[in-house]
Amino acid sequence: MTWSQSRRHGRYGEFNSPDRASDRMISLDQIDRRLLAILQQDATVPIAELAERVGLSQTPCWKRVKRLQDSGVITARVALIDRDALDLPLTVFVAVKTGRHDEDWLATFAAGAKALPEVIEFYRMSGEVDYLLKVVVRDIAAYDRFYRRLIATAPLTDVSSSFAMEQIKFTTALPISMG
């Protein structure tokens, strides 16, 4: 099975679900896009207010939101939490290089890295770095404990860490074209 087939079949994790909207290419009209823009800012907007803001009655609005959820365009509704409130102020970008690129190694490393709760984002990269992880921890000592668990997941060639000094922009909202 190739990497792209594995992605399509969700072999390496929930973030590669075969039910992704991009795999089914549903059509999004202007109202769908406005709904998504509003929900990205606040997923708790009551359906009555949501309907009013996009110019629909409640039932058609609810059906559209349900269609967006069922088709996988809306993947989750979550609460975004202030990391400082949980005493997790340190963000670390971890660049990983490996000498192995076979599927067994990837499955082992992916499972190990995904199991570490400090990893909040995880990417396979092109270029100099093979994998990039975004990690949040309390302090350097917590990062060191994380690092020791990470390097035990699979054989790695190089692990390089960059500590974020300041967060200048953060958003979970995707840029939605209204045109």
Side-chain angles (χ1 to χ4, degrees):
M1 183 179 289
T2 67
W3 171 256
S4 61
Q5 288 170 326
S6 299
R7 286 190 56 209
R8 210 171 323 140
H9 292 102
R11 180 169 174 196
Y12 296 116
E14 68 283 354
F15 52 87
N16 293 322
S17 167
D19 294 330
R20 289 175 42 158
S22 61
D23 292 341
R24 286 193 299 280
M25 300 301 289
I26 70 165
S27 177
L28 299 176
D29 65 15
Q30 288 292 87
I31 293 173
D32 293 329
R33 291 174 183 280
R34 288 198 322 255
L35 285 169
L36 292 169
I38 293 165
L39 291 171
Q40 280 192 120
Q41 297 301 315
D42 183 0
T44 66
V45 174
I47 200 72
E49 181 183 336
L50 194 56
E52 183 179 321
R53 288 174 62 181
V54 299
L56 292 175
S57 61
Q58 289 185 38
T59 300
C61 183
W62 177 84
K63 286 181 179 179
R64 280 179 180 258
V65 171
K66 177 129 177 53
R67 179 179 136 264
L68 293 168
Q69 290 172 326
D70 292 347
S71 66
V73 174
I74 297 174
T75 60
R77 290 185 175 197
V78 300
L80 300 178
I81 301 168
D82 181 344
R83 292 189 340 256
D84 291 332
L86 295 178
D87 200 20
L88 296 169
L90 187 60
T91 301
V92 187
F93 294 92
V94 182
V96 174
K97 293 181 184 179
T98 180
R100 293 194 45 195
H101 298 279
D102 59 274
E103 291 196 29
D104 290 338
W105 180 91
L106 175 56
T108 300
F109 179 62
K114 285 174 27 184
L116 299 170
E118 298 90 344
V119 176
I120 61 171
E121 295 183 45
F122 178 22
Y123 301 93
R124 186 170 65 94
M125 306 295 289
S126 66
E128 298 281 324
V129 171
D130 295 312
Y131 299 92
L132 184 65
L133 292 76
K134 182 177 178 184
V135 174
V136 294
V137 291
R138 180 180 192 170
D139 53 27
I140 298 293
Y143 177 72
D144 186 53
R145 290 188 297 275
F146 162 82
Y147 172 84
R148 291 170 190 272
R149 294 189 338 264
L150 176 67
I151 63 173
T153 62
L156 305 173
T157 302
D158 183 55
V159 177
S160 175
S161 305
S162 297
F163 296 86
M165 302 297 292
E166 177 183 11
Q167 181 177 24
I168 297 171
K169 179 180 179 179
F170 171 80
T171 183
T172 60
L174 297 174
I176 298 176
S177 168
M178 296 295 174

